[in-house]
Amino acid sequence: MSKSYITTPLYYVNARPHIGHAYTNIIADCLARFKRLCGSEVFFLTGTDEHGEKIRKVAKLSGKEPQEFVDEVSANFKDLWQKLNVEYDFFIRTTFDFHERIVQEVIKKLHTKGDIYKEKYKGFYCVPCEAFWTAIQVKESGGVCLDCKRELEVIEEENYFFRLSKYQSWLISYLKENPEFIKPSTRYNEVLSFLENNSLEGLCISRPKKRLSWGVEFPLDNNYVVYVWFDALLNYISAAGYNQDEERFKSIWPADYHFMAKDILRHHAIFWPIMLKALEIDLPVTIFAHGWWNFEGEKISKSRGNIVNPLELIKDIGVDSLRYFLLREIPVGGDGSFSWKAIVNRINSDLANDLGNLVFRTLNMAEKYFSGRISSSSPAVPREFREVLSEIEGSYKGLMDKAEFNTVLEKIFKFINVMNKYIEETKPWALWKAGEKEKINIFLYSLLEGIRIVSIYIWPVMPFTAESINGQLGIKSRELRIENAGWGLHGDFKVKKEKPLFPRIDVS
Ligand code: MSP
């Protein structure tokens, strides 16, 4: 059986989750469900990044001990994933004991290899981001933090460093030999060109306790804690059993997809592969950096204060509509503009008018003309469906594998519209008047087969909807498997219509 290891970033717990976090987890969930649909053994990992000064500070502001605070916020993320129907296999928190132990073991290992050294260092430091920037970077940014654009402090202190430079030329060759390693290709080009035009400096992986205390204790020197990023990246192997259960680790690693947005691509595409190489561990298969959701032209983020709350959106429009909107509206690699108008358009036209209406009126006819019992007819695919259906069959797996969800949905909705047109052109009401029962049975069987196949294809994107359609068609959920998506595989139908799947949203 093939296996698939899929990860999301570990989100900082300094604030509640917003729509940007929800987006990444919906992408990862969609891919994980697709892999399960195809019979793959999936390990889907998500979690929270809980160390660092900014988290300690927010905890203090809310009058709580750091651990109590991170327990609460981490639970908010878990709750959101459950509400969004994100079915992960394990939720890792960087404050778990086993993870902290692995971080320390890794540092000791790399130190023994000579890849970690101590040095006095003067650098430009951003306190909120806990990041050091080089003189060249600071010159380019005009003296502010490259991430949050805040003022920087000049800090001089002794720290421990990880020797990135030793592996730079190896990484360049690796990227050249593996052009599929970073996706989309624009991001691959960016990383490669960055590496070819800059010399990597040592990565500062310690923070003195006098300045920052909420972290994994540095194993070589108890005056320090470990830099949050060095700690957090290691979750991808600690959660898979590294240095704890080698059998399990072998069966899960390497990760097949690391999902994140472009803001943290360098951490994943430069630091992480080098850390793995130094540890003599295989590299992940794909690092996938998606785009940003913006709101009125600016990235949606906590620091900009323009967050969109996914819990409220779920209440207003429902989980599947939200998942559909986010995955249909933009290609995964691009940026998207978040607006209520765009959501309403998508829901009313694609979901209420096209899909919802198709299911409702087909089942309505099946009940009206045959009391819900439609016998299986000739297995031939109606002429009208052939082209569009074979286009989906031929491209579905390849596109889903590349996380090209918007293109897949476009093709599926083309088929839905072909079915709607088929109803209009066949005019079943006229056939009924003419007593053509046999013809109406064939016509309805074709539509029910089409809808059944659609429900399998859309399951990764809209699981509740697919399951509800299946229930209405009298099919068990366990039949939601890709090998059942062939035409004519279902026998007689016994259907039972429910209320419309997607009520229209009133904009007046
Ligand atoms: N803790 C680090 C990640 C460590 S992974 C080992 C971190 N956390 S974060 O809370 O800031 O999350 C960043 C991630 O959240 C992005 O890479 C992306 O997955 C998601 N998003 C946050 N804002 C987003 C948008 N506005 N649009 C799309 N995704 C967004 O970085």
Side-chain angles (χ1 to χ4, degrees):
M1 193 196 264
S2 68
K3 70 97 197 167
S4 259
Y5 178 18
I6 299 165
T7 73
T8 74
L10 299 196
Y11 304 107
Y12 288 129
V13 287
N14 54 343
R16 288 184 159 267
H18 63 70
I19 198 77
H21 306 124
Y23 181 55
T24 315
N25 274 40
I26 289 172
I27 290 173
D29 185 60
C30 183
L31 197 90
R33 285 178 185 271
F34 158 67
K35 292 289 181 185
R36 290 191 200 112
L37 195 71
C38 298
S40 191
E41 178 94 28
V42 173
F43 183 56
F44 172 14
L45 178 74
T46 189
T48 40
D49 191 349
E50 306 188 354
H51 291 127
E53 195 53 13
K54 62 181 164 193
I55 289 167
R56 198 194 57 82
K57 274 193 188 144
V58 186
K60 203 170 170 199
L61 277 177
S62 59
K64 295 192 173 122
E65 284 303 312
Q67 190 62 52
E68 186 193 355
F69 178 79
V70 299
D71 286 350
E72 266 178 39
V73 186
S74 183
N76 291 335
F77 278 90
K78 265 192 163 172
D79 177 53
L80 176 63
W81 305 146
Q82 198 240 329
K83 294 208 165 80
L84 281 173
N85 213 356
V86 166
E87 246 179 42
Y88 56 82
D89 295 289
F90 189 63
F91 189 99
I92 184 159
R93 303 179 51 190
T94 52
T95 50
F96 281 159
D97 288 348
F98 80 86
H99 169 78
E100 296 192 353
R101 205 182 56 244
I102 298 298
V103 172
Q104 294 176 328
E105 283 166 10
V106 162
I107 289 177
K108 283 191 238 161
K109 214 175 204 164
L110 294 178
H111 184 245
T112 315
K113 269 192 80 177
D115 286 346
I116 288 177
Y117 58 93
K118 194 175 185 189
E119 196 178 71
K120 195 165 201 141
Y121 178 82
K122 190 169 166 189
F124 300 87
Y125 189 69
C126 174
V127 181
C129 295
E130 285 156 40
F132 277 111
W133 302 109
T134 63
I136 308 169
Q137 287 171 317
V138 173
K139 203 169 161 205
E140 276 172 14
S141 76
V144 293
C145 170
L146 274 74
D147 278 345
C148 73
K149 317 285 175 228
R150 276 182 269 230
E151 288 297 306
L152 296 167
E153 279 177 30
V154 178
I155 282 187
E156 190 171 2
E157 65 193 15
E158 269 206 303
N159 264 313
Y160 290 86
F161 290 82
F162 173 49
R163 222 180 279 283
L164 289 180
S165 55
K166 178 172 158 193
Y167 298 94
Q168 178 160 3
S169 57
W170 159 80
L171 185 55
I172 293 175
S173 319
Y174 186 86
L175 288 181
K176 286 190 172 155
E177 282 157 25
N178 297 277
E180 299 288 301
F181 181 55
I182 301 169
K183 285 182 180 158
S185 55
T186 43
R187 303 282 165 239
Y188 166 85
N189 293 335
E190 255 171 46
V191 174
L192 186 57
S193 122
F194 175 82
L195 284 168
E196 285 179 326
N197 295 302
N198 294 278
S199 299
L200 293 178
E201 293 180 0
L203 176 67
C204 179
I205 60 163
S206 67
R207 297 291 185 266
K209 274 190 191 160
K210 61 174 164 34
R211 198 153 55 71
L212 195 155
S213 56
W214 178 241
V216 179
E217 177 144 312
F218 204 79
L220 313 172
D221 187 334
N222 62 12
N223 293 311
Y224 293 86
V225 293
V226 179
Y227 168 46
V228 271
W229 266 103
F230 199 83
D231 155 9
L233 284 165
L234 289 167
N235 91 89
Y236 300 132
I237 54 172
S238 74
Y242 175 70
N243 251 17
Q244 305 140 81
D245 180 346
E246 284 310 304
E247 258 327 281
R248 182 165 167 264
F249 185 60
K250 247 200 252 154
S251 70
I252 295 178
W253 191 259
D256 296 276
Y257 297 84
H258 282 316
F259 281 110
M260 79 232 50
K262 57 189 175 181
D263 51 342
I264 52 175
L265 174 62
R266 280 198 198 159
H267 304 81
H268 284 84
I270 298 178
F271 303 165
W272 182 227
I274 292 183
M275 286 162 72
L276 290 167
K277 173 72 181 167
L279 289 166
E280 293 160 36
I281 299 174
D282 288 345
L283 262 50
V285 181
T286 311
I287 290 175
F288 203 122
H290 64 71
W292 281 335
W293 278 98
N294 299 319
F295 189 74
E296 290 167 357
E298 286 225 306
K299 182 189 171 216
I300 295 174
S301 77
K302 201 218 133 229
S303 55
R304 290 182 177 86
N306 60 353
I307 59 165
V308 177
N309 184 343
L311 290 173
E312 273 163 26
L313 274 173
I314 295 172
K315 269 194 232 139
D316 290 342
I317 62 171
V319 178
D320 278 8
S321 301
L322 177 59
R323 292 174 62 115
Y324 176 77
F325 171 76
L326 292 173
L327 297 181
R328 173 66 184 89
E329 196 66 9
I330 54 166
V332 167
D335 289 345
S337 198
F338 200 87
S339 81
W340 182 242
K341 195 167 155 220
I343 295 187
V344 171
N345 275 345
R346 278 280 165 219
I347 296 179
N348 283 351
S349 91
D350 300 8
L351 298 180
N353 276 3
D354 300 344
L355 175 59
N357 214 4
L358 171 70
V359 173
F360 192 79
R361 60 181 172 160
T362 302
L363 268 67
N364 201 25
M365 286 187 278
E367 289 187 345
K368 184 168 154 200
Y369 299 139
F370 298 101
S371 309
R373 288 175 189 276
I374 308 296
S375 54
S376 64
S377 61
S378 117
V381 183
R383 183 181 37 81
E384 294 85 339
F385 295 4
R386 269 177 222 151
E387 196 186 330
V388 64
L389 198 54
S390 73
E391 201 183 311
I392 303 174
E393 277 167 2
S395 60
Y396 184 76
K397 283 192 178 177
L399 290 169
M400 290 294 281
D401 253 327
K402 287 189 271 173
E404 291 190 26
F405 307 129
N406 70 321
T407 314
V408 170
L409 288 170
E410 199 180 309
K411 290 185 194 295
I412 296 172
F413 275 74
K414 200 161 137 199
F415 178 39
I416 289 168
N417 284 331
V418 163
M419 287 194 271
N420 275 322
K421 198 155 158 240
Y422 179 63
I423 300 179
E424 253 98 76
E425 285 171 356
T426 310
K427 298 193 177 62
W429 46 93
L431 288 176
W432 185 253
K433 260 197 193 155
E436 299 271 18
K437 268 187 107 170
E438 177 75 22
K439 277 195 182 156
I440 307 182
N441 189 92
I442 295 176
F443 157 80
L444 283 176
Y445 180 80
S446 301
L447 288 173
L448 292 173
E449 259 308 81
I451 292 171
R452 182 185 70 81
I453 291 170
V454 162
S455 77
I456 296 176
Y457 286 134
I458 62 169
W459 181 72
V461 179
M462 292 187 281
F464 284 137
T465 305
E467 284 156 22
S468 162
I469 294 175
N470 257 25
Q472 297 187 50
L473 295 182
I475 300 170
K476 300 199 173 56
S477 317
R478 69 179 138 77
E479 289 180 34
L480 281 164
R481 308 204 43 104
I482 202 71
E483 63 267 24
N484 293 335
W487 187 266
L489 294 180
H490 197 268
D492 299 350
F493 282 98
K494 169 81 189 80
V495 307
K496 193 168 178 341
K497 166 177 110 270
E498 286 170 19
K499 60 180 189 343
L501 290 166
F502 302 97
R504 279 182 69 82
I505 297 182
D506 194 359
V507 274
S508 60

